[in-house]
Amino acid sequence: MVNDMHHNLPDGLKLRNSKPTDHAGIISVLKDWWGGRDLTWMLPKLFLNHFTNTSFVIEKDGELIAFLIGFLSPARLAEGYIHFAGVHPDYRGVGLGKFLYQRFFDICKENQRDTNRACTSPVNRGSIEFHKKIGFDITRGNSEIDGLPVTLDYNKPGDPKVLFEIRI
Amino acid sequence: MVNDMHHNLPDGLKLRNSKPTDHAGIISVLKDWWGGRDLTWMLPKLFLNHFTNTSFVIEKDGELIAFLIGFLSPARLAEGYIHFAGVHPDYRGVGLGKFLYQRFFDICKENQRDTNRACTSPVNRGSIEFHKKIGFDITRGNSEIDGLPVTLDYNKPGDPKVLFEIRI
């Protein structure tokens, strides 16, 4: 099913660019979608205001099913960065995450961006597996947690992150 | 003194673009510079990785004295956005904040960006006064706190913000 979805979403699901007014709706699902973790701090309103051209939501009858917030790096001209992406728990395993990533990769390619980066917490095994499956490599860190290369103190002290990179 | 500083910093102070390796140093001063408030969540590493071309630090003998993190909005082509800026408490009142804002405005003008936005919390009276003094207007919100127009639930529920706008 994943392979079939590169250019088509299942019936009833619709893709569109995100809008500033999507912010409250995305914030409201984070805890449910991330198994109780509160990641609200990761998505201040500015991400919805200023990166609409490279960010997307998938909806079904107006209900949020998945989102991806990314941007083309203004400082690293060969790079795109995927900041935050999530899929409704009831819609996992059918390729929606991959669909959103491919859509973002397409924009990167149109803009001569051949490298893409993302990062996640080492506790988020689902995210790590997802990125590996898509084809991301884990970049060398400065430490290791449960056999995974991590970069310590990434966003703040005591915040190890697994960093991903892919050539598209 | 403020007027004299549009193009010159006091002796010993140096301006440069921010670098990814500035992240830990900036994070480490936030609480001191913001009167005990912990605003670490506002500055994940990505802001230092990807907006170096529009972000700056001022240093004295290698010590961080001030910083500004901003970017040119990819979605709003006439806008620049100042995400986060701070000045060492011992160096306030001499125009360093204004100097950094002017530097950012210059970049905006070079890129045909005539509108600049920023936001702050209504508790941060110093920031509000600063933005008014620079020439920012407070944009109409959906509520009022202590006589100030605010937008409620801005970054998350229970998070009112004062929004600023300036034509440069």
Side-chain angles (χ1 to χ4, degrees):
Chain A
M1 190 162 189
V2 171
N3 288 336
D4 296 333
M5 258 177 47
H6 187 105
H7 292 296
N8 293 298
L9 283 172
D11 267 358
L13 296 186
K14 282 184 186 156
L15 176 80
R16 63 167 171 79
N17 282 86
S18 65
K19 302 181 290 204
T21 49
D22 291 322
H23 182 255
I26 295 175
I27 288 295
S28 74
V29 301
L30 294 183
K31 261 194 172 175
D32 277 350
W33 291 18
W34 265 263
R37 294 172 68 204
D38 184 0
L39 298 178
T40 308
W41 64 272
M42 276 190 63
L43 203 61
K45 184 76 184 278
L46 72 91
F47 284 95
L48 276 298
N49 287 344
H50 297 293
F51 305 121
T52 54
N53 52 331
T54 51
S55 300
F56 302 93
V57 298
I58 294 174
E59 289 177 316
K60 185 177 185 178
D61 300 328
E63 186 196 1
L64 183 68
I65 304 298
F67 68 88
L68 181 152
I69 310 294
F71 59 83
L72 307 180
S73 173
R76 299 178 174 178
L77 297 179
E79 290 189 21
Y81 184 72
I82 294 176
H83 172 53
F84 207 19
V87 176
H88 189 303
D90 295 348
Y91 290 82
R92 289 186 187 161
V94 297
L96 299 184
K98 183 173 180 178
F99 182 91
L100 287 170
Y101 271 61
Q102 295 286 6
R103 183 72 194 87
F104 185 76
F105 292 165
D106 287 345
I107 296 177
C108 286
K109 285 182 211 160
E110 288 162 18
N111 289 277
Q112 293 78 49
R113 311 268 172 156
D114 64 1
T115 297
N116 227 276
R117 293 184 196 279
C119 74
T120 201
S121 292
V123 297
N124 195 340
R125 294 290 155 160
S127 169
I128 294 163
E129 283 314 306
F130 169 77
H131 283 92
K132 284 163 75 172
K133 209 159 129 187
I134 297 274
F136 280 86
D137 293 316
I138 296 179
T139 60
R140 197 148 65 119
N142 55 25
S143 188
E144 217 174 82
I145 292 179
D146 299 333
L148 286 170
V150 298
T151 301
L152 298 174
D153 307 325
Y154 190 68
N155 287 324
K156 59 185 175 181
D159 178 50
K161 283 278 181 280
V162 179
L163 309 187
F164 301 105
E165 179 180 357
I166 192 173
R167 291 295 183 112
I168 54 175
Chain B
M1 190 165 189
V2 170
N3 288 336
D4 295 334
M5 259 178 47
H6 187 105
H7 292 296
N8 292 298
L9 282 172
D11 267 359
L13 297 186
K14 282 184 186 156
L15 177 81
R16 63 168 171 79
N17 282 86
S18 65
K19 303 182 288 203
T21 50
D22 291 321
H23 183 255
I26 295 175
I27 288 295
S28 74
V29 301
L30 294 183
K31 261 193 172 177
D32 278 349
W33 292 17
W34 265 264
R37 294 171 68 203
D38 184 359
L39 298 178
T40 307
W41 64 272
M42 275 191 64
L43 203 62
K45 184 76 185 278
L46 71 91
F47 284 95
L48 275 299
N49 287 343
H50 298 293
F51 305 120
T52 54
N53 52 331
T54 50
S55 300
F56 301 94
V57 299
I58 294 174
E59 290 177 317
K60 185 176 185 179
D61 301 327
E63 185 195 2
L64 183 68
I65 304 298
F67 68 89
L68 181 152
I69 310 293
F71 59 84
L72 307 180
S73 174
R76 299 177 175 179
L77 297 179
E79 290 189 21
Y81 184 73
I82 294 176
H83 172 53
F84 207 19
V87 176
H88 190 303
D90 294 349
Y91 291 81
R92 289 186 187 161
V94 297
L96 299 184
K98 183 173 180 177
F99 182 90
L100 287 170
Y101 271 61
Q102 294 287 5
R103 183 73 193 87
F104 185 76
F105 292 166
D106 287 345
I107 297 177
C108 285
K109 286 182 211 158
E110 288 162 18
N111 289 277
Q112 293 77 49
R113 309 268 172 158
D114 64 1
T115 298
N116 226 276
R117 294 185 195 279
C119 74
T120 200
S121 292
V123 298
N124 195 339
R125 295 290 155 159
S127 169
I128 294 163
E129 284 314 307
F130 169 78
H131 284 92
K132 284 162 75 173
K133 209 160 129 185
I134 296 272
F136 279 87
D137 292 316
I138 297 179
T139 60
R140 197 147 65 119
N142 55 24
S143 188
E144 217 173 81
I145 292 179
D146 298 335
L148 286 170
V150 298
T151 301
L152 299 174
D153 307 325
Y154 190 68
N155 286 323
K156 58 185 176 183
D159 178 48
K161 283 278 182 281
V162 179
L163 309 187
F164 301 105
E165 180 180 355
I166 191 173
R167 289 295 182 111
I168 53 174

